[in-house]
Amino acid sequence: MHDTTTEPTTITGAHRELLDQLLDRWSLEVLDRLCEHGALRFNGLRREIPAITQKSLTATLRRLERNGMVERVVVSDRPVAVEYRIAPVGQGLQDLIDALLQWSTRHMADVEAARERYDDAEAARE
Amino acid sequence: MHDTTTEPTTITGAHRELLDQLLDRWSLEVLDRLCEHGALRFNGLRREIPAITQKSLTATLRRLERNGMVERVVVSDRPVAVEYRIAPVGQGLQDLIDALLQWSTRHMADVEAARERYDDAEAARE
DNA sequence: CGGCATCCTACGGGATACTG
DNA sequence: CAGTATCCCGTAGGATGCCG
């Protein structure tokens, strides 16, 4: 089952459609926090990600929910309490996100250096 | 050196800045083809990725070049020939991209099913 | 062949105000 | 608390035309 086929795995339209949902402005960050905390409430997420606006958080959560990556659970009424948690499908994401973060952490300095080199060369060009 | 620390690795502004460059509309696809072919010329890439426009390809390549992920090599003049290839920094990306593609390949069906469920529930709501 | 310059539009996403 | 509803703007990116 689920053999780790090393097939060409070219990026198809289907891949794009799925990845686009994932690689937008906020999804990774939201998923990251949900992975870390297990479950979070709406305003809990806002506190975790201060930079996100309410509208964007709602949109991101709805999209993730629609794609089955996140589960929305109404915990109680009066006062209303809603919990968000990673759905089974999204489980493997934690590793993916970590891999992404670790890669970028490792190469952050290289990239910064590359940018300076590029910008300097660019500036010298004029 | 470069210990595989399993630290919290929270997404920071620096991470975002780097990942945003990577997770945009076309970078992954361009990098994917460059990984696969080793080196490609401008119009070669266009043929590999028919959906991309010339402007977007140029912008993507410049950005990747600036971040040190891709190397631009002028092979010859008359006629002008330019090769693009993965830079050392970008090497580890192949694994990352493959991981991403394999994950999305594995869960494609689940996501599709989730969407239908969500949309049906949504439609029933009215 | 490998681009650059323009124009133009869709839409992601911010700010703000209101609600069950 | 957990959203919905508007308004608005910046910009990524498509279309088109031209160039060394």
Side-chain angles (χ1 to χ4, degrees), chain A residues 21-48:
Chain A
Q21 304 291 322
L22 208 61
L23 306 182
D24 69 340
R25 176 72 192 165
W26 295 111
S27 292
L28 275 186
E29 212 149 336
V30 168
L31 289 170
D32 181 49
R33 315 317 293 218
L34 288 180
C35 281
E36 189 177 343
H37 291 80
L40 278 171
R41 312 237 311 255
F42 191 83
N43 286 307
L45 275 167
R46 293 191 71 177
R47 261 172 263 120
E48 286 289 320

Side-chain angles (χ1 to χ4, degrees), chain A residues 25-26 53 55-56 63 80:
Chain A
R25 176 72 192 165
W26 295 111
T53 63
K55 178 184 172 183
S56 296
R63 190 165 36 215
V80 186

Side-chain angles (χ1 to χ4, degrees), chain B residues 37-79:
Chain B
H37 291 81
L40 279 171
R41 312 241 308 257
F42 191 85
N43 286 306
L45 276 166
R46 294 192 70 175
R47 261 172 262 119
E48 286 288 320
I49 314 173
I52 201 173
T53 62
Q54 176 275 315
K55 178 184 173 181
S56 296
L57 179 54
T58 302
T60 301
L61 285 171
R62 290 292 168 275
R63 190 165 37 215
L64 291 174
E65 191 193 351
R66 175 168 186 267
N67 288 325
M69 326 281 323
V70 157
E71 281 167 359
R72 179 179 182 276
V73 185
V74 177
V75 178
S76 78
D77 312 332
R78 203 164 34 271

Side-chain angles (χ1 to χ4, degrees), chain A residues 2-3 7-9 11 21 24-25 36 42-43 53 57-58 66 69 73 75 84 90-91 102 114 118 120:
Chain A
H2 81 67
D3 54 320
E7 18 155 338
T9 35
I11 298 183
Q21 304 291 322
D24 69 340
R25 176 72 192 165
E36 189 177 343
F42 191 83
N43 286 307
T53 63
L57 179 54
T58 303
R66 175 168 186 266
M69 327 279 324
V73 185
V75 177
Y84 292 94
Q91 291 296 356
Q102 279 176 25
Y118 184 94
D120 287 356

Side-chain angles (χ1 to χ4, degrees), chain A residues 26-111:
Chain A
W26 295 111
S27 292
L28 275 186
E29 212 149 336
V30 168
L31 289 170
D32 181 49
R33 315 317 293 218
L34 288 180
C35 281
E36 189 177 343
H37 291 80
L40 278 171
R41 312 237 311 255
F42 191 83
N43 286 307
L45 275 167
R46 293 191 71 177
R47 261 172 263 120
E48 286 289 320
I49 314 173
I52 200 173
T53 63
Q54 176 277 318
K55 178 184 172 183
S56 296
L57 179 54
T58 303
T60 302
L61 285 171
R62 291 290 169 276
R63 190 165 36 215
L64 290 175
E65 189 193 351
R66 175 168 186 266
N67 288 324
M69 327 279 324
V70 156
E71 282 168 358
R72 179 180 184 276
V73 185
V74 177
V75 177
S76 79
D77 311 333
R78 204 162 36 272
V80 186
V82 180
E83 253 184 25
Y84 292 94
R85 58 185 59 194
I86 296 292
V89 196
Q91 291 296 356
L93 279 176
Q94 184 147 23
D95 297 344
L96 232 41
I97 294 175
D98 283 353
L100 237 40
L101 290 184
Q102 279 176 25
W103 179 89
S104 69
T105 299
R106 262 205 295 282
H107 297 293
M108 213 162 266
D110 300 312
V111 170

